[in-house]
C-alpha cells in the first residue's frame, strides 16, 4: 500500500503544481550578439497542453535552446528536454531536466551536435515514455 501511495504521489502531484522559471538569456561576450538560428511554437501532445516560443540561439560561439517567457506545458513527473527530427524525439540528445513548466529557460546544446540533423525540441516524460510538448523549427 505504501508503494502505491508513493507512486501516486510522485506521478500525480506535479500535475497540480506549477513551477515558474525566469531565467535570463546567456550573456554575450565582447561585442557579439545573440543570433537566432531557428524558432517554433510549442504544441501539446495527446492530452497534454503546451504553448509558447522556443528558439535556437547562438551566443558567443555557444548554442542554446531557449524557451521564452510565454512557455507553458502541463507539469508531470520526470520531464526532460530533447532534440528531435521527423516527428520523433532523439533519446541520445538529452539537454537536461525541465527546469520548470512555465517561463523562460535555457538549455545548452553540446558542440558535438549537428543542428542540421534536428528540426524540433521536445518536452518528454521519461517515466511514461510520452511527449508533453513539441516545438518544430
Amino acid at each position: 500500500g505504501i508503494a502505491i501511495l508513493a507512486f501516486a504521489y510522485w506521478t500525480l502531484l506535479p500535475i497540480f503544481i506549477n513551477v515558474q522559471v525566469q531565467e535570463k538569456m546567456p550573456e554575450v561576450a565582447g561585442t557579439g550578439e545573440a543570433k537566432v538560428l531557428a524558432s517554433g511554437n510549442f504544441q501539446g501532445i495527446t492530452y497534454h497542453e503546451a504553448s509558447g516560443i522556443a528558439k535556437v540561439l547562438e551566443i558567443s560561439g555557444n548554442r542554446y535552446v531557449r524557451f521564452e517567457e510565454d512557455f507553458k506545458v502541463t507539469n508531470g513527473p520526470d520531464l526532460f528536454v530533447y532534440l528531435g527530427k521527423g516527428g520523433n524525439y532523439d533519446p541520445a540528445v538529452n539537454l537536461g531536466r525541465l527546469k520548470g513548466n512555465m517561463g523562460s529557460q535555457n538549455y545548452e546544446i553540446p558542440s558535438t551536435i549537428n543542428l542540421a540533423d534536428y528540426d524540433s525540441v521536445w518536452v518528454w516524460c521519461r517515466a511514461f515514455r510520452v511527449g508533453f510538448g513539441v516545438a518544430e523549427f
Side-chain angles (χ1 to χ4, degrees):
I2 293 176
I4 292 171
L5 287 175
F7 180 76
Y9 177 82
W10 179 70
T11 58
L12 296 177
L13 186 63
I15 295 170
F16 302 106
I17 297 175
N18 288 319
V19 179
Q20 177 80 35
V21 178
Q22 294 180 340
E23 192 171 24
K24 294 181 180 180
M25 283 184 44
E27 291 193 28
V28 177
T31 58
E33 60 183 47
K35 180 179 177 184
V36 178
L37 303 177
S39 67
N41 293 310
F42 270 99
Q43 296 180 345
I45 300 173
T46 59
Y47 56 88
H48 301 107
E49 295 182 15
S51 60
I53 298 171
K55 294 179 181 177
V56 177
L57 303 174
E58 185 172 342
I59 301 172
S60 302
N62 297 318
R63 300 167 305 163
Y64 301 87
V65 170
R66 172 154 175 92
F67 298 172
E68 294 294 349
E69 293 83 13
D70 62 351
F71 169 72
K72 186 174 184 179
V73 67
T74 303
N75 206 357
D78 209 27
L79 297 179
F80 283 79
V81 178
Y82 290 88
L83 293 180
K85 185 165 186 168
N88 295 300
Y89 89 107
D90 183 349
V93 189
N94 180 342
L95 301 181
R97 181 175 293 278
L98 186 69
K99 297 173 184 176
N101 69 308
M102 298 169 56
S104 57
Q105 44 205 287
N106 307 306
Y107 300 90
E108 189 165 1
I109 301 170
S111 61
T112 57
I113 300 298
N114 181 358
L115 284 176
D117 293 340
Y118 300 95
D119 63 8
S120 57
V121 61
W122 290 70
V123 175
W124 185 263
C125 176
R126 292 191 322 182
F128 294 103
R129 298 183 183 124
V130 64
F132 273 49
V134 62
E136 294 184 9
F137 302 127

